[in-house]
Amino acid sequence: MGRLSVQAEHILEQWQNHGWLRPLDQAFASFIARYEPAQPLVWLAAALCSYQLKQGHVCLDLAKLQAEPLLTLGLGAELTASQQADVQQQLAAVSLAQWQHALRQSAVVDSGAGHNPLVLSGSRLYLRRYWQYEQDIASQINQRLNQSDNLSAQLPDSVLLPLIARLFQQSKPAEQQLEPDWQQLACALACRSAFTVITGGPGTGKTTTVVRLLALLQLLQLRQQAPLLEIRLAAPTGKAAARLKDSISGAISRLAALKIDGFSQIELAIPVNVSTIHRLLGVRPGSKNLRFNRYQPLPLDILVLDEASMVDVEMMASLLQALPQSARIILLGDKDQLSSVEAGALLAELCKKAVAGDYLPATASWLAKQTGQQIPATLISDKGSLLSQHIVMLRHSHRFGQNSGIGRLAAMVNQGQLDPSVWYQHPAELCLLQEFSTASAGFAQLIVSGADNSTNTKSDGYQHYLAMLRIAPAEPELQDGWARQILHAHSCFQVLAVTRKGELGVEQLNQRIQHCLAKAGLIVPQHQWYAGRPVMVTRNDYQLGLMNGDIGICLPKSVVQSDGSVSVVLRVAFAVAEGIKWVIPARLNAVETVYAMTVHKSQGSEFRHTVLAVPAHDNGLLNRELLYTAITRASARFSLLCAEPSLLGRVVQRQTLRAGGLSLALADDS
């Protein structure tokens, strides 16, 4: 162990000298060293465990660290070949047994029963706080998984069949007739579950499904002469909340138009207002204390959480603990999207078996009786896990048909494949720009008008919303509607970037785009605040009621003065649940220009035309999930600016697999 200790101390010193460790990681290693002065291997493990949080991992997987050090730690393109070889050789030399022996003997590590700062569970090393988050989440989910038998007993055979038939009156499209209606199956499955996950790609009908599900649950209440259920809707960001609100409103209107017997009685009991998770839990400004928690649960019967892939373990643990024990929770999201910026990949972990179905024969039989829909035999398993009986994957996209270019490209990326011919087979939807620079006329044309090198496309670029500035109404009562139109027009076109800084990062792109628009005479950026400047809130502002991710646009607004005169001033317009919120620019302390945003920030959004700018040099940050997320933000057209298309082949093979043990902690799962 002596030689290992010397080696571990050397590795730790090397990482500190190269700046690979954050100051926080170094401080934590120093803290551990005070209690374990003779165990450098434990110091190193502590530093790497802290380092993994920055990479989004809940824990440090020691087995993977020993087998594949570079991949486990996310080190690659930023290291020289010599540095990669050193890291590989040094860390691979420490066996899993050696790591485990040192940690089990340590006074700062336990298996979870104590109060030490580190927890070792098998081959996974956790910071105690994150181990506790994972345990709390597993406990809450397990409790709800085990309620399914009781809920099933309340649903006699075929009781759902006539209700589902009323809610799903429309005949299925021809291409779906050979497949079961997964939306109906999701509704039925959720009726007997206190915990349900509905996953699927863009356009698969997650929102439509959940509205029908909520209507079904309320109809069941009426049938049993019970009070209607208290339902709340939530999303991780203000932007995602606003989009869910629009989707829910549209789905309710479409359902109401069908004139379903009994729907008018429950329509008002299906909410359209959506809260961010922070607002729902009652986050107190400047504090981590929440108004709602395990001691003061949320007053609700059902919680629907959209964009669940964006939720990290800390927030999910807080949310689940704030639910009453009798409450149901329904998670919606795309399992293939980017995971949360913070630690955890909860939706991806929960949906590991979603593609395979993994349904028990008893589940398939029950669903057939309740819906008339037959689950394919290939998706049924005698060894199906309990968790799988609560997960439904919607498999048909209504947005991207079989011949859709965006749909085909997204599916290829998801499968780790990329046929270069796809770009040329769908010129109306897809464009690959190889020869470009941000100083070129082609880039300026793309930004201003949305036009690229395809003669078959027609788009509006950023001129679409900026041209509307010239038709500002003088009447104050008309300005909210005008602002709403501009915000909608702005959301039709969006430039995305892989990173914030560096080549083709957000900061560089925003400067270049602002220059292009000014040169075209669309904006006059003489000062920090100017008409047409789009901004994104970067920190929750509870006084203003604005959340991280909310987007506003600086507009000229007519204001009536006390003497009756009218003056034009700059105000920033935000679309919020109550309507349009006008904010004085000086009150916005945490905002940034957002002609370009990172792919991470774009989650929960949809744009008609999305442009992704990829740097020529592989920085190791672009991966399958990020590319898939960028592609699926586009509903009509996707343009990729990529000087080195050959790197895309490597990118789609680079899959993000975050370390965690949630699936192992769930009931009878493996």
Side-chain angles (χ1 to χ4, degrees):
M1 186 65 70
R3 184 180 64 81
L4 276 177
S5 293
V6 172
Q7 184 182 16
E9 194 166 7
H10 170 70
I11 297 171
L12 187 56
E13 183 180 353
Q14 183 186 53
W15 275 59
Q16 291 171 337
N17 291 339
H18 284 300
W20 297 338
L21 294 176
R22 301 172 299 172
L24 179 63
D25 307 328
Q26 297 179 40
F28 185 58
S30 298
F31 167 77
I32 294 297
R34 288 165 51 193
Y35 295 92
E36 284 285 21
Q39 287 291 342
L41 197 60
V42 177
W43 313 345
L44 177 60
L48 295 182
C49 188
S50 175
Y51 169 86
Q52 286 296 75
L53 288 178
K54 181 187 72 171
Q55 314 304 314
H57 300 285
V58 177
C59 61
L60 172 65
D61 191 318
L62 296 165
K64 291 181 179 178
L65 179 68
Q66 197 277 330
E68 298 178 300
L70 293 173
L71 183 62
T72 302
L73 297 171
L75 296 171
E78 66 273 25
L79 270 63
T80 65
S82 174
Q83 289 172 335
Q84 289 185 23
D86 283 348
V87 172
Q88 179 77 28
Q89 182 180 13
Q90 291 168 345
L91 291 176
V94 186
S95 70
L96 174 59
Q98 289 169 327
W99 281 114
Q100 289 174 320
H101 177 75
L103 292 165
R104 284 170 182 157
Q105 301 301 312
S106 172
V108 296
V109 183
D110 61 51
S111 60
H115 301 282
N116 288 325
L118 292 167
V119 175
L120 181 65
S121 177
S123 65
R124 301 184 309 280
L125 182 66
Y126 293 84
L127 299 184
R128 173 165 293 278
R129 188 158 58 104
Y130 286 87
W131 176 84
Q132 192 62 58
Y133 291 148
E134 195 171 84
Q135 294 300 304
D136 290 343
I137 292 169
S139 174
Q140 291 289 330
I141 293 177
N142 279 333
Q143 174 205 323
R144 287 175 167 78
L145 294 182
N146 289 313
Q147 291 180 27
S148 58
D149 288 342
N150 292 334
L151 291 170
S152 292
Q154 299 171 23
L155 298 170
D157 282 357
S158 304
V159 69
L160 298 179
L161 193 59
L163 298 177
I164 288 177
R166 281 156 60 184
L167 291 168
F168 288 86
Q169 291 180 8
Q170 315 95 310
S171 59
K172 293 186 295 183
E175 65 269 23
Q176 279 187 275
Q177 289 177 0
L178 298 178
E179 295 292 327
D181 189 326
W182 289 101
Q183 293 188 14
Q184 293 188 36
L185 292 168
C187 287
L189 207 60
C191 282
R192 70 171 200 174
S193 175
F195 177 82
T196 307
V197 179
I198 302 175
T199 187
T204 51
K206 295 185 291 293
T207 306
T208 299
T209 301
V210 84
V211 167
R212 282 177 164 81
L213 167 58
L214 297 177
L216 180 58
L217 289 168
Q218 297 288 36
L219 286 172
L220 283 172
Q221 292 295 107
L222 289 179
R223 184 181 181 276
Q224 297 165 1
Q225 298 183 333
L228 292 177
L229 300 165
E230 183 67 30
I231 302 168
R232 296 293 299 272
L233 309 175
T237 66
K239 192 191 318 179
R243 185 153 173 255
L244 179 60
K245 179 183 178 181
D246 290 342
S247 299
I248 290 282
S249 298
I252 291 175
S253 298
R254 290 191 296 273
L255 202 55
L258 297 177
K259 302 189 184 307
I260 296 167
D261 183 33
F263 183 70
S264 59
Q265 293 177 265
I266 61 171
E267 186 175 356
L268 294 177
I270 302 176
V272 294
N273 288 330
V274 185
S275 303
T276 63
I277 300 175
H278 286 83
R279 284 176 178 148
L280 180 72
L281 292 177
V283 174
R284 302 181 190 278
S287 169
K288 283 207 166 188
N289 293 328
L290 305 173
R291 179 185 174 193
F292 295 104
N293 48 54
R294 70 175 73 190
Y295 306 108
Q296 185 174 352
L298 289 157
L300 55 80
D301 299 305
I302 300 175
L303 174 65
V304 176
L305 175 62
D306 195 22
E307 298 292 349
S309 65
M310 299 170 63
V311 183
D312 61 85
V313 290
E314 180 177 5
M315 186 55 70
M316 184 62 81
S318 297
L319 185 63
L320 290 173
Q321 287 185 342
L323 292 180
Q325 288 195 352
S326 60
R328 303 173 190 246
I329 181 168
I330 301 160
L331 304 184
L332 306 178
D334 185 345
K335 67 180 180 61
D336 297 311
Q337 264 190 204
L338 279 167
S339 297
S340 62
V341 175
E342 303 298 331
L346 291 170
L347 194 65
E349 268 205 273
L350 292 170
C351 295
K352 281 181 178 179
K353 300 178 182 178
V355 173
D358 198 41
Y359 295 113
L360 290 166
T363 301
S365 175
W366 185 87
L367 287 170
K369 292 175 184 176
Q370 297 287 5
T371 66
Q373 303 291 319
Q374 299 290 334
I375 291 182
T378 54
L379 303 181
I380 300 174
S381 169
D382 289 331
K383 299 180 179 178
S385 70
L386 178 57
L387 175 63
S388 295
Q389 315 316 301
H390 299 255
I391 296 175
V392 178
M393 178 177 169
L394 305 182
R395 299 164 190 257
H396 176 79
S397 176
H398 302 274
R399 183 188 306 172
F400 305 130
Q402 291 181 342
N403 298 318
S404 160
I406 294 174
R408 280 191 63 201
L409 180 62
M412 283 183 188
V413 169
N414 238 348
Q415 296 160 12
Q417 306 166 358
L418 193 58
D419 181 354
S421 67
V422 70
W423 300 100
Y424 312 108
Q425 293 169 354
H426 302 275
E429 292 182 64
L430 303 175
C431 178
L432 174 62
L433 289 173
Q434 303 178 47
E435 302 296 330
F436 83 97
S437 74
T438 55
S440 68
F443 179 77
Q445 182 183 34
L446 175 65
I447 295 305
V448 172
S449 67
D452 45 38
N453 65 359
S454 169
T455 57
N456 298 322
T457 184
K458 188 174 182 180
S459 184
D460 293 311
Y462 284 134
Q463 72 177 1
H464 180 39
Y465 87 91
L466 290 170
M468 299 173 71
L469 296 178
R470 304 191 183 101
I471 55 172
E475 300 87 346
E477 65 272 13
L478 299 179
Q479 291 182 115
D480 281 9
W482 170 67
R484 190 176 290 106
Q485 290 178 332
I486 289 180
L487 285 163
H488 174 73
H490 173 264
S491 70
C492 290
F493 181 86
Q494 184 62 54
V495 178
L496 304 179
V498 178
T499 62
R500 286 188 50 77
K501 300 182 181 296
E503 180 190 7
L504 293 184
V506 165
E507 294 177 358
Q508 184 186 101
L509 283 169
N510 273 321
Q511 291 175 0
R512 292 303 308 167
I513 293 170
Q514 181 173 284
H515 175 77
C516 291
L517 297 175
K519 191 173 180 180
L522 293 169
I523 58 174
V524 185
Q526 294 178 337
H527 305 285
Q528 178 188 12
W529 289 102
Y530 55 86
R533 181 192 177 196
V535 295
M536 176 184 285
V537 176
T538 58
R539 189 171 63 242
N540 293 341
D541 189 324
Y542 298 97
Q543 288 186 330
L544 291 177
L546 297 174
M547 297 291 118
N548 186 358
D550 287 351
I551 289 180
I553 299 178
C554 187
L555 300 175
K557 187 178 191 298
S558 298
V559 177
V560 180
Q561 303 297 332
S562 56
D563 60 1
S565 63
V566 176
S567 60
V568 177
V569 296
L570 290 177
R571 294 290 184 266
V572 185
F574 292 88
V576 296
E578 300 78 22
I580 296 297
K581 180 186 287 288
W582 297 91
V583 182
I584 298 172
R587 295 195 64 189
L588 295 169
N589 298 318
V591 293
E592 59 185 24
T593 303
V594 72
Y595 294 117
M597 68 174 72
T598 61
V599 178
H600 276 93
K601 286 288 188 181
S602 76
Q603 289 189 97
S605 298
E606 178 186 318
F607 314 102
R608 278 187 54 77
H609 186 176
T610 300
V611 178
L612 175 64
V614 176
H617 305 289
D618 186 3
N619 57 15
L621 298 177
L622 184 59
N623 54 46
R624 182 187 302 180
E625 291 80 10
L626 191 143
L627 184 56
Y628 169 83
T629 302
I631 294 166
T632 53
R633 296 313 88 205
S635 62
R637 183 159 185 80
F638 176 72
S639 298
L640 180 64
L641 309 184
C642 182
E644 293 293 336
S646 60
L647 73 82
L648 297 177
R650 297 195 300 274
V651 164
V652 297
Q653 296 296 323
R654 187 183 294 149
Q655 191 172 10
T656 302
L657 297 173
R658 290 189 170 180
L662 177 62
S663 60
L664 298 175
L666 292 174
D668 86 350
D669 215 357
S670 59

